[in-house]
Amino acid sequence: MKNFKKNLFGKIGNQKINLYTFENNRGHCLEIMNYGACIRKYTSPDKDGIFSNVVLSLDRLEDYIDTPPNFGFALGPVAGRIGNASFKLGDDFYKLEKNLGDTHLHSASTGFNKSVFEVESVDNNGIVMFLDRPHMTGGYPGNLKAWIEYRLGEDGSLTINYRAKSDKDTLFNPSNHSYFNLGDDIGLGLRDHVLKIRSNHLVPIDSQGLPIEDYNPTDWNPDQGLARLNKEINRGMDLEDIFSYPHPQIQDTNGLDHPFYLDKHQSDSIEEVALLSHRKTGRSISIKTSAPCLVVYTANGPNPGIKINGKQPPQHMGIALETQIMPDAINRPYLGNIILKKDQVFTSTTIITPDTCY
């Protein structure tokens, strides 16, 4: 590994926002920003050995502060949606900020994506970032201590380790919101990308983006159209074919904004669950995770005012592959458990590994 670099990116008030850059001997590069514990750069070679950044990023700190799509940010303490922006924990009822209809998404205005992290440690292989969240920040109980570690391997792999503990029972379900685009022209969006997910549960969502009320991972029979789409994605399907698939779950959202309940041999083991590849460049990334769910979002809305490499990106500019526990699990325990008990330690790992194919 080469020596890491630290550069000032800007300031928020009196707080310095720095970029930490890591590079291995093969040329893979990782750049992390302490605002939002953000992945700003992650490079991977194409089939000809030419490296390019495969996560979408912005040029200025001001753009990260003002732009809503959460480019590369850590999400937490709860990444997924919480229905009615409220939950019950023990005998207490908590109300949260509504920031998407009647739901609470990505922990709203006080989430990790709006926080300046401390750097607990850094070396040539990566960085550990720390955040201390006081009791009732954003409506969540407990003084929460959270750590996010990013490590770049000599094989180009990116390992993300999450850890947290609280002095009261609280909720914790983190993720990362990097948008991947393995092509070399942002203007083409997700053209030529193929997505493969090891899951037989493409979970349908309601108008609020929550799993539909009658979904249960232990007893689920999707309609034939959704089952056929799920089977194709399980085998590997062009994203353009997904976008044009004639099913309301796709057409009503203009793409994917859906949880996939993962098929894993053991619920908390680190297993490969997804593969994203690009036909033209030959780039691919695999996703391994200890999490039980993958939320896939294909940037389905317009992107006014956003510039990437000097261009306004199109609809479907990138794909977010968010490893986590199922959205709204706190209100439907059969979807998973996001309760972090007092003094217990939460841990989760996701590993992204680049390769070439085609």
Side-chain angles (χ1 to χ4, degrees):
M1 300 294 290
K2 298 181 180 179
N3 292 332
F4 78 89
K5 298 177 182 178
K6 175 183 174 182
N7 293 294
L8 182 67
F9 192 44
K11 288 186 176 183
I12 298 177
N14 294 322
Q15 295 177 294
K16 292 182 178 180
I17 307 302
N18 295 310
L19 302 177
Y20 297 83
T21 305
F22 309 89
E23 186 175 354
N24 66 18
N25 294 318
R26 295 174 58 183
H28 298 90
C29 182
L30 172 68
E31 188 174 84
I32 303 296
M33 175 171 62
N34 63 317
Y35 176 62
C38 175
I39 300 172
R40 191 168 176 270
K41 180 187 289 185
Y42 179 50
T43 65
S44 177
D46 64 10
K47 58 188 175 183
D48 297 318
I50 300 173
F51 281 83
S52 183
N53 189 11
V54 297
V55 295
L56 301 186
S57 61
L58 303 170
D59 292 334
R60 306 178 307 153
L61 176 59
E62 293 81 1
D63 297 329
Y64 281 95
I65 296 171
D66 297 335
T67 302
N70 288 308
F71 288 91
F73 285 128
L75 301 177
V78 176
R81 290 171 169 85
I82 295 178
N84 296 315
S86 61
F87 64 95
K88 186 178 181 182
L89 191 58
D91 294 327
D92 297 316
F93 184 78
Y94 297 91
K95 290 187 176 181
L96 304 170
E97 177 186 352
K98 294 180 179 180
N99 64 326
L100 188 66
D102 287 330
T103 65
H104 176 79
L105 175 64
H106 301 333
S107 298
S109 63
T110 64
F112 288 178
N113 56 332
K114 302 295 184 183
S115 303
V116 179
F117 281 69
E118 298 177 28
V119 174
E120 182 171 271
S121 64
V122 59
D123 58 33
N124 293 335
N125 296 291
I127 190 168
V128 178
M129 294 190 164
F130 171 74
L131 186 65
D132 199 343
R133 282 174 57 96
H135 175 58
M136 294 309 296
T137 299
Y140 291 91
N143 293 294
L144 179 75
K145 299 182 183 298
W147 294 262
I148 303 176
E149 178 183 32
Y150 298 105
R151 309 293 289 181
L152 179 65
E154 281 291 3
D155 62 351
S157 61
L158 167 58
T159 300
I160 308 173
N161 292 313
Y162 302 97
R163 184 163 60 97
K165 66 182 300 184
S166 172
D167 63 355
K168 294 180 181 293
D169 289 0
T170 191
L171 308 186
F172 198 68
N173 183 24
S175 191
N176 180 273
H177 208 284
S178 290
Y179 286 97
F180 292 97
N181 187 310
L182 307 184
D184 289 324
D185 184 352
I186 184 61
L188 298 178
L190 292 172
R191 188 181 304 175
D192 297 318
H193 284 73
V194 178
L195 178 65
K196 181 178 181 180
I197 299 177
R198 202 176 89 191
S199 168
N200 290 313
H201 287 229
L202 192 176
V203 180
I205 56 175
D206 62 20
S207 60
Q208 296 292 318
L210 298 164
I212 60 171
E213 282 293 335
D214 60 351
Y215 173 75
N216 189 315
T218 61
D219 183 20
W220 173 239
N221 292 297
D223 66 64
Q224 288 186 349
L226 197 63
R228 190 179 305 117
L229 173 62
N230 200 156
K231 191 173 183 178
E232 289 298 317
I233 295 175
N234 196 277
R235 293 171 175 169
M237 188 174 184
D238 279 75
L239 280 168
E240 285 188 303
D241 291 337
I242 295 175
F243 299 149
S244 62
Y245 191 79
H247 192 284
Q249 281 291 320
I250 300 299
Q251 297 310 312
D252 290 352
T253 56
N254 296 312
L256 288 171
D257 192 8
H258 293 74
F260 287 76
Y261 191 83
L262 298 171
D263 298 337
K264 300 180 68 178
H265 299 297
Q266 297 181 16
S267 60
D268 59 351
S269 61
I270 300 173
E271 300 179 24
E272 184 171 324
V273 298
L275 179 71
L276 179 69
S277 57
H278 189 263
R279 295 188 185 279
K280 186 175 180 181
T281 65
R283 293 189 182 99
S284 71
I285 56 167
S286 67
I287 307 292
K288 296 179 181 178
T289 187
S290 61
C293 170
L294 182 70
V295 174
V296 179
Y297 177 56
T298 50
N300 303 323
N303 302 294
I306 298 174
K307 295 287 185 180
I308 299 176
N309 299 329
K311 297 181 179 180
Q312 180 173 332
Q315 183 186 37
H316 304 139
M317 61 184 170
I319 180 170
L321 303 168
E322 306 166 43
T323 57
Q324 58 186 275
I325 300 167
M326 285 279 290
D328 206 33
I330 185 57
N331 293 315
R332 291 180 259 176
Y334 54 86
L335 295 180
N337 180 21
I338 66 169
I339 298 173
L340 177 60
K341 303 293 287 185
K342 175 184 175 181
D343 295 331
Q344 287 187 348
V345 177
F346 172 97
T347 60
S348 179
T349 296
T350 293
I351 303 171
I352 302 163
T353 304
D355 204 346
T356 54
C357 53
Y358 303 114

